[in-house]
Amino acid sequence: MRRAPMALLLVVVLFGCAERKMTVTSDPPGALVFVDGVEKGITPVTFPFNFYGGRRFVLKRDGYQTLEEIRTIQPPLHMRFPLDTITDLTPIPGRDHKHLHFELKKLEDVDKEALLKRAEAFRERTWSEADLRLKKLGKKPPH
């Protein structure tokens, strides 16, 4: 009588598990992938995962903008309550393999002359605002 529960427990431990994998690809390939702040590898990369729901993906590659995106990973029907309980108790493991693809954008070349002009305009505007504040206080601007 005592062997039946132990046998059931042994079957659940040996066979009743879900296998969840995720493959992340990118265009172009070769991006470093972080999921929820944990480095997973370079695209294309496949790794196991345990939880569904919102996941934060960050992809980085030289010459491309860092991509940061939250995607919701949905469980398949057989891994949703109450069917997940049945799946976990059967000798056939539940499998779920998610495929996610990300498009990276190339970094734009910076026009150095335009950048310097914008910086100079910002400096002038900042100095004028500081000068006005000093004049209101009755003080002489330093330049």
Side-chain angles (χ1 to χ4, degrees):
M1 182 89 171
R2 209 170 154 195
R3 291 183 187 164
M6 290 302 284
L8 179 62
L9 180 62
L10 184 63
V11 167
V12 170
V13 169
L14 292 178
F15 300 106
C17 62
E19 183 181 301
R20 297 175 187 94
K21 289 183 183 177
M22 186 179 302
T23 297
V24 176
T25 57
S26 67
D27 185 25
L32 184 58
V33 179
F34 294 86
V35 180
D36 297 330
V38 178
E39 184 178 324
K40 296 296 183 178
I42 295 175
T43 60
V45 62
T46 300
F47 52 90
F49 72 99
N50 295 321
F51 305 104
Y52 294 101
R55 309 299 293 270
R56 184 173 162 260
F57 292 86
V58 176
L59 280 78
K60 296 180 179 185
R61 180 160 187 220
D62 287 343
Y64 291 83
Q65 294 178 11
T66 296
L67 184 141
E68 194 170 330
E69 193 174 309
I70 294 177
R71 291 209 185 165
T72 302
I73 310 302
Q74 297 289 342
L77 185 61
H78 68 277
M79 290 190 177
R80 295 180 191 206
F81 183 79
L83 296 177
D84 64 337
T85 307
I86 297 165
T87 303
D88 285 345
L89 294 176
T90 61
I92 302 167
R95 288 192 171 93
D96 186 20
H97 195 153
K98 301 291 185 189
H99 297 271
L100 295 132
H101 183 74
F102 296 90
E103 297 285 331
L104 300 175
K105 294 180 183 175
K106 233 179 173 4
L107 283 174
E108 296 177 17
D109 289 334
V110 176
D111 180 3
K112 290 181 184 177
E113 284 298 316
L115 181 62
L116 289 172
K117 285 180 183 177
R118 284 194 347 240
E120 186 62 36
F122 181 73
R123 183 183 352 200
E124 290 298 321
R125 189 176 73 228
T126 304
W127 275 112
S128 351
E129 290 172 4
D131 291 348
L132 289 174
R133 279 190 233 118
L134 286 172
K135 285 180 184 176
K136 284 182 183 177
L137 295 173
K139 296 181 180 181
K140 185 177 178 185
H143 51 92

Short mmCIF file of all heavy atoms in Angstrom, two decimals, residues 9-18 87-94:
data_model
loop_
_atom_site.label_atom_id
_atom_site.label_comp_id
_atom_site.label_asym_id
_atom_site.label_seq_id
_atom_site.Cartn_x
_atom_site.Cartn_y
_atom_site.Cartn_z
N LEU A 9 5.23 9.04 -7.11
CA LEU A 9 6.19 10.12 -6.92
C LEU A 9 7.42 9.91 -7.80
O LEU A 9 7.92 10.85 -8.42
CB LEU A 9 6.61 10.22 -5.45
CG LEU A 9 7.60 11.31 -5.11
CD1 LEU A 9 6.99 12.68 -5.42
CD2 LEU A 9 8.02 11.23 -3.66
N LEU A 10 7.89 8.69 -7.91
CA LEU A 10 9.04 8.38 -8.74
C LEU A 10 8.74 8.67 -10.22
O LEU A 10 9.57 9.25 -10.93
CB LEU A 10 9.45 6.91 -8.56
CG LEU A 10 10.71 6.47 -9.30
CD1 LEU A 10 11.91 7.24 -8.79
CD2 LEU A 10 10.91 4.98 -9.14
N VAL A 11 7.54 8.31 -10.68
CA VAL A 11 7.14 8.59 -12.07
C VAL A 11 7.11 10.09 -12.32
O VAL A 11 7.61 10.58 -13.34
CB VAL A 11 5.76 7.94 -12.38
CG1 VAL A 11 5.20 8.47 -13.68
CG2 VAL A 11 5.90 6.43 -12.43
N VAL A 12 6.54 10.85 -11.37
CA VAL A 12 6.46 12.30 -11.53
C VAL A 12 7.85 12.92 -11.56
O VAL A 12 8.15 13.77 -12.39
CB VAL A 12 5.60 12.93 -10.40
CG1 VAL A 12 5.72 14.44 -10.41
CG2 VAL A 12 4.16 12.51 -10.54
N VAL A 13 8.73 12.46 -10.66
CA VAL A 13 10.08 13.02 -10.61
C VAL A 13 10.88 12.66 -11.86
O VAL A 13 11.58 13.50 -12.43
CB VAL A 13 10.82 12.54 -9.33
CG1 VAL A 13 12.29 12.90 -9.40
CG2 VAL A 13 10.17 13.14 -8.10
N LEU A 14 10.76 11.44 -12.33
CA LEU A 14 11.55 11.01 -13.48
C LEU A 14 11.01 11.49 -14.81
O LEU A 14 11.76 11.81 -15.72
CB LEU A 14 11.67 9.48 -13.50
CG LEU A 14 12.51 8.86 -12.38
CD1 LEU A 14 12.49 7.35 -12.50
CD2 LEU A 14 13.94 9.38 -12.43
N PHE A 15 9.70 11.52 -14.94
CA PHE A 15 9.12 11.80 -16.25
C PHE A 15 8.33 13.10 -16.33
O PHE A 15 8.23 13.68 -17.38
CB PHE A 15 8.19 10.65 -16.67
CG PHE A 15 8.89 9.33 -16.75
CD1 PHE A 15 8.70 8.36 -15.79
CD2 PHE A 15 9.75 9.07 -17.79
CE1 PHE A 15 9.34 7.15 -15.87
CE2 PHE A 15 10.40 7.86 -17.88
CZ PHE A 15 10.20 6.89 -16.92
N GLY A 16 7.72 13.50 -15.24
CA GLY A 16 6.79 14.63 -15.31
C GLY A 16 7.47 15.98 -15.21
O GLY A 16 7.50 16.58 -14.16
N CYS A 17 8.01 16.44 -16.30
CA CYS A 17 8.60 17.77 -16.28
C CYS A 17 8.37 18.43 -17.63
O CYS A 17 8.14 17.78 -18.63
CB CYS A 17 10.10 17.69 -15.98
SG CYS A 17 11.03 16.79 -17.20
N ALA A 18 8.42 19.73 -17.60
CA ALA A 18 8.23 20.50 -18.82
C ALA A 18 9.59 20.95 -19.33
O ALA A 18 10.46 21.36 -18.56
CB ALA A 18 7.35 21.69 -18.54
N THR A 87 -0.30 17.64 -17.48
CA THR A 87 0.93 17.51 -18.27
C THR A 87 2.11 17.12 -17.37
O THR A 87 2.92 16.27 -17.73
CB THR A 87 1.26 18.83 -19.00
OG1 THR A 87 0.15 19.17 -19.82
CG2 THR A 87 2.49 18.70 -19.85
N ASP A 88 2.19 17.75 -16.19
CA ASP A 88 3.30 17.44 -15.28
C ASP A 88 3.23 16.03 -14.72
O ASP A 88 4.24 15.47 -14.32
CB ASP A 88 3.32 18.45 -14.12
CG ASP A 88 3.87 19.80 -14.56
OD1 ASP A 88 4.47 19.86 -15.65
OD2 ASP A 88 3.69 20.78 -13.83
N LEU A 89 2.04 15.44 -14.68
CA LEU A 89 1.89 14.10 -14.11
C LEU A 89 1.99 12.98 -15.13
O LEU A 89 2.04 11.82 -14.78
CB LEU A 89 0.55 13.99 -13.37
CG LEU A 89 0.43 14.87 -12.12
CD1 LEU A 89 -0.96 14.75 -11.53
CD2 LEU A 89 1.47 14.50 -11.09
N THR A 90 2.01 13.32 -16.41
CA THR A 90 2.12 12.28 -17.44
C THR A 90 3.58 11.94 -17.70
O THR A 90 4.46 12.77 -17.49
CB THR A 90 1.47 12.74 -18.76
OG1 THR A 90 2.17 13.88 -19.22
CG2 THR A 90 0.00 13.02 -18.60
N PRO A 91 3.85 10.73 -18.17
CA PRO A 91 5.24 10.36 -18.45
C PRO A 91 5.80 11.06 -19.69
O PRO A 91 7.00 11.02 -19.93
CB PRO A 91 5.18 8.85 -18.65
CG PRO A 91 3.77 8.51 -18.88
CD PRO A 91 2.93 9.61 -18.30
N ILE A 92 4.94 11.71 -20.46
CA ILE A 92 5.42 12.42 -21.65
C ILE A 92 5.66 13.88 -21.24
O ILE A 92 4.75 14.57 -20.84
CB ILE A 92 4.37 12.37 -22.78
CG1 ILE A 92 4.07 10.92 -23.12
CG2 ILE A 92 4.86 13.15 -23.99
CD1 ILE A 92 2.85 10.75 -23.98
N PRO A 93 6.90 14.34 -21.32
CA PRO A 93 7.18 15.71 -20.89
C PRO A 93 6.56 16.73 -21.84
O PRO A 93 6.52 16.54 -23.06
CB PRO A 93 8.71 15.80 -20.91
CG PRO A 93 9.15 14.72 -21.83
CD PRO A 93 8.10 13.65 -21.78
N GLY A 94 6.08 17.81 -21.27
CA GLY A 94 5.55 18.91 -22.09
C GLY A 94 6.71 19.69 -22.67
O GLY A 94 7.69 19.97 -21.98
#
